[in-house]
Amino acid sequence: MVNSAQQYPIFGSEIKCPHCRQVIPALILTDTYLCPRHGAFEVSPNGKDLVHLQSDRQWRLWNDEWYRQHTHPDGIRFEIHENIDRLYTQGYRAIKVMIAHRYIDLVSPYLETSAISSHVQRLYGLTVEFSPPEEEEPRWGIINFELEKELGTPKGYPYFRSF
């Protein structure tokens, strides 16, 4: 007798689409989930990643939230920029960004250094710190970054564009 849980992929009978967050079903007896808007997502052979079959983008799950796993610097930089804009529209300003240790090599060429203090690195005007390695804090093997914020409008914020 086959257990009904064994008929579905490792993440269960349904998940939230990593793109639109709409609940999407698993296809029985496969490792695939199907979003009507974004197409098929398949569980990778390692059982940790969810792969979008059309774009080959990968996500990992942490606390019921999907986090994109970046392989190109523009992807992580765009995601940080997008979150800074989101904070701005909510009435906050970002003051610091902590980026996952695994992205040091990916983002370092894009960091600005201050003429006053060469050990302070910045991205979009924010002070950048890198997280501890995932061996010390496992969440940093999945999440990409965290923004430190405070209430208020950024001073001279050149990145937000209202359409």
Side-chain angles (χ1 to χ4, degrees):
M1 176 133 175
V2 176
N3 181 346
S4 65
Q6 294 172 333
Q7 296 178 3
Y8 293 108
I10 195 166
F11 300 118
S13 63
E14 57 186 25
I15 61 169
K16 289 182 182 176
C17 173
H19 281 296
C20 64
R21 292 176 176 75
Q22 170 183 323
V23 175
I24 60 173
L27 301 179
I28 297 175
L29 300 175
T30 71
D31 285 329
T32 306
Y33 295 89
L34 189 59
C35 177
R37 290 179 60 197
H38 297 104
F41 294 86
E42 191 169 89
V43 178
S44 68
N46 69 14
K48 296 178 183 177
D49 299 323
L50 189 66
V51 180
H52 184 237
L53 295 181
Q54 291 173 318
S55 67
D56 207 32
R57 292 181 177 149
Q58 298 181 18
W59 285 266
R60 285 197 179 166
L61 190 62
W62 184 262
N63 289 340
D64 295 325
E65 180 102 18
W66 290 105
Y67 291 89
R68 174 128 177 253
Q69 303 302 294
H70 297 284
T71 56
H72 192 275
D74 289 344
I76 184 76
R77 290 172 53 226
F78 179 79
E79 185 180 355
I80 291 169
H81 185 277
E82 190 176 56
N83 278 266
I84 292 169
D85 281 349
R86 188 174 301 119
L87 284 179
Y88 178 81
T89 61
Q90 296 169 350
Y92 291 93
R93 67 174 159 246
I95 56 175
K96 182 170 66 172
V97 60
M98 182 172 288
I99 301 173
H101 187 267
R102 68 185 188 277
Y103 291 128
I104 286 177
D105 293 337
L106 205 59
V107 300
S108 288
Y110 298 91
L111 300 179
E112 309 145 10
T113 54
S114 170
I116 300 168
S117 177
S118 63
H119 69 277
V120 175
Q121 297 179 314
R122 296 188 177 279
L123 181 66
Y124 302 125
L126 303 176
T127 301
V128 173
E129 291 182 5
F130 289 97
S131 74
E134 65 183 282
E135 295 80 26
E136 292 177 30
E137 291 187 40
R139 70 190 183 106
W140 287 108
I142 298 172
I143 68 171
N144 300 321
F145 64 91
E146 285 182 345
L147 291 171
E148 189 175 313
K149 65 182 181 180
E150 64 184 17
L151 196 58
T153 306
K155 297 170 182 76
Y157 182 58
Y159 304 106
F160 180 73
R161 305 268 189 273
S162 180
F163 296 102

